[in-house]
Amino acid sequence: ENVNSISELDVTIKNSDLYESHKEALILEKKEKLQQSINPKDLYQLTLELAKEYYTYQSDSARFYVKQAFNLAQDIQDDIKLDESKILQAQIAAKSGSFSVAEDLLNSINLSDLNKELQLNYLRASSELLIYLLEYMQSEDTSQIRTKHIRIRDSLISILPVNSPEYAIAIGAKYIEESNFDQANYILKRNFKNVKNGTREFSMYTAILAYMYERMGNVEKQKYFLTLS
């Protein structure tokens, strides 16, 4: 298994320019649509989509476009779009290490006012922020942050579709942290067939499987799933 996965990784690295070209073509297509649009709601949607495309690619561009989306949401006085763009702003800020900015943005939103889709996005953003904080504060007392993260994660689990890969990842992580490896393995392996290779979701899924095997002390399986991720 490890030999095959390493071979796949070599091919992926060799094709990195191809993947980047595909990403750039997708971004260019959205920018061309943006230049041709005049409807404020269309402008907002395309600008937000560009921010999402840049989110894992170029943080400066992601910040630029999400700020533009926020301004457009203000112009059209749409509270749902304002909250949507704020949540993405928080995710981008957290990913780039601006933790206090991300926290202020999330604190400015009332969770109970959001529809289900935005509640999911809000909880994802909150969970991501806390994970980044835990990684940053490794040598400090993080007990309060861990407790808050568990609460946020459990809230996310309670509203995710139970057959979704994201639900499996979240509840799998919960079982792993509780050292309930049999249940974690059952949940994660059962849903693995529903995850499409080559997606960010696949990368997250295989990363959590690698973490499970790390906790179990199975180094070979850990390496295999890290390579896939």
Side-chain angles (χ1 to χ4, degrees), residues 71-179:
N71 291 339
L72 286 163
Q74 283 186 314
D75 291 343
I76 59 181
Q77 299 181 331
D78 188 319
D79 289 341
I80 292 175
K81 288 178 171 54
L82 274 170
D83 287 335
E84 182 181 39
S85 58
K86 275 187 189 179
I87 292 167
L88 185 56
Q89 275 186 297
Q91 288 179 290
I92 292 166
K95 188 173 184 295
S96 61
S98 300
F99 304 132
S100 60
V101 172
E103 188 173 14
D104 288 345
L105 284 162
L106 292 171
N107 286 341
S108 71
I109 300 169
N110 189 341
L111 180 61
S112 62
D113 290 342
L114 304 178
N115 59 36
K116 186 174 180 180
E117 182 182 354
L118 288 186
Q119 283 184 357
L120 282 168
N121 288 347
Y122 179 93
L123 292 170
R124 289 181 186 117
S126 298
S127 178
E128 288 168 10
L129 169 61
L130 294 169
I131 289 170
Y132 288 135
L133 278 169
L134 286 169
E135 291 174 353
Y136 180 74
M137 300 172 62
Q138 284 184 356
S139 60
E140 301 176 44
D141 180 12
T142 57
S143 55
Q144 288 187 333
I145 296 173
R146 289 184 184 280
T147 300
K148 188 175 181 181
H149 179 252
I150 289 169
R151 179 171 56 80
I152 294 291
R153 184 195 61 203
D154 289 349
S155 297
L156 186 58
I157 289 169
S158 71
I159 61 173
L160 281 168
V162 294
N163 293 322
S164 68
E166 188 178 1
Y167 174 85
I169 290 170
I171 201 162
K174 174 182 172 71
Y175 287 135
I176 291 166
E177 288 172 14
E178 293 171 353
S179 297

Side-chain angles (χ1 to χ4, degrees), residues 16-44:
S16 59
D17 289 344
L18 179 63
Y19 304 142
E20 187 168 347
S21 296
H22 177 75
K23 183 79 167 176
E24 289 287 359
L26 186 62
I27 287 171
L28 181 60
E29 181 183 344
K30 290 184 184 297
K31 285 182 177 180
E32 288 173 350
K33 287 181 180 178
L34 183 64
Q35 290 174 348
Q36 297 164 8
S37 299
I38 56 173
N39 182 288
K41 291 185 178 180
D42 291 342
L43 287 169
Y44 167 82

Side-chain angles (χ1 to χ4, degrees), residues 46-58:
L46 286 164
T47 304
L48 192 76
E49 287 175 13
L50 277 165
K52 290 178 180 178
E53 289 294 341
Y54 276 120
Y55 170 54
T56 56
Y57 187 51
Q58 291 179 6

